């Protein structure tokens, strides 16, 4: 059901998060684009961690549970790095997923058991494609290389 190809977007997003580097104290505040990226990436990390928690509770597939465990680990690490970069810029990250992501969480809670795994994996693939696009936009139009 799950193929390694779907894990590639996760690896790309985590690798891009790992490229975030610390900057000296007194770093400039985040630009509008950088702030948008920080907000979106932080909300995504929170949503992905919560979706993975639901998957660990609801899925009966060991493969899906492995994906959920990897998602949790990867997004916790990205969340930590993002918080560090945001703190250096005196930027407050969101404390919850965005409304669309909250809707996805609700859908995962209510989808039938027989449809859960497919629904979860489809969301992961779609969400990670969106995260890649978000990261590519930040790379091409952001102002702060550490973000």
């Amino acid at each position: 059901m799950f193929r390694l190809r779907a894990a590639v977007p996760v690896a790309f997003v985590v690798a891009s998060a790992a490229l975030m580097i610390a900057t000296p104290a007194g770093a400039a505040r985040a630009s509008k684009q950088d702030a948008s990226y920080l907000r979106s990436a932080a909300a995504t990390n929170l949503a992905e961690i919560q979706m993975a928690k639901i998957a660990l509770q609801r899925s009966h597939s060991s493969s899906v549970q492995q994906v959920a465990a990897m998602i949790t680990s990867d997004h916790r690490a990205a969340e930590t790095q993002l918080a560090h970069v945001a703190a250096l810029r005196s930027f407050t990250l969101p404390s919850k997923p965005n409304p669309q992501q909250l809707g996805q969480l609700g859908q995962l809670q209510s989808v039938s058991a027989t449809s859960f795994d497919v629904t979860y994996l489809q969301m992961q693939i779609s969400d990670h494609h969106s995260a890649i696009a978000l990261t590519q936009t930040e790379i091409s139009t952001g102002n702060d290389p550490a973000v």
Side-chain angles (χ1 to χ4, degrees):
M1 176 192 287
F2 176 75
R3 303 213 190 291
L4 183 57
R5 257 185 10 190
V8 172
V10 174
F12 179 85
V13 172
V14 171
S16 67
L19 292 175
M20 293 185 287
I21 57 174
T23 57
R29 292 202 178 269
S31 70
K32 185 175 179 179
Q33 168 57 38
D34 293 338
S36 175
Y37 177 78
L38 289 169
R39 260 190 308 281
S40 295
T44 296
N45 285 331
L46 295 170
E48 292 294 336
I49 291 166
Q50 290 180 28
M51 284 191 251
K53 182 178 178 180
I54 294 168
L56 289 168
Q57 294 168 349
R58 294 207 56 207
S59 179
H60 297 294
S61 164
S62 63
S63 294
V64 172
Q65 290 179 350
Q66 288 174 352
V67 168
M70 178 186 67
I71 295 282
T72 300
S73 175
D74 291 351
H75 282 278
R76 284 193 195 284
E79 180 180 40
T80 299
Q81 292 173 331
L82 199 64
H84 177 71
V85 170
L88 289 172
R89 281 142 193 84
S90 302
F91 186 83
T92 302
L93 296 173
S95 60
K96 64 181 181 178
N98 69 37
Q100 178 188 358
Q101 294 160 335
L102 291 172
Q104 287 180 309
L105 289 164
Q107 183 181 359
L108 282 179
Q109 291 284 17
S110 63
V111 70
S112 70
T114 56
S115 297
F116 180 83
D117 290 343
V118 170
T119 301
Y120 174 69
L121 292 175
Q122 286 174 338
M123 282 182 184
Q124 288 306 301
I125 292 167
S126 174
D127 291 350
H128 283 90
H129 283 289
S130 296
I132 289 169
L134 177 73
T135 301
Q136 288 172 334
T137 299
E138 174 60 22
I139 290 169
S140 65
T141 63
N143 296 328
D144 186 342
V147 173

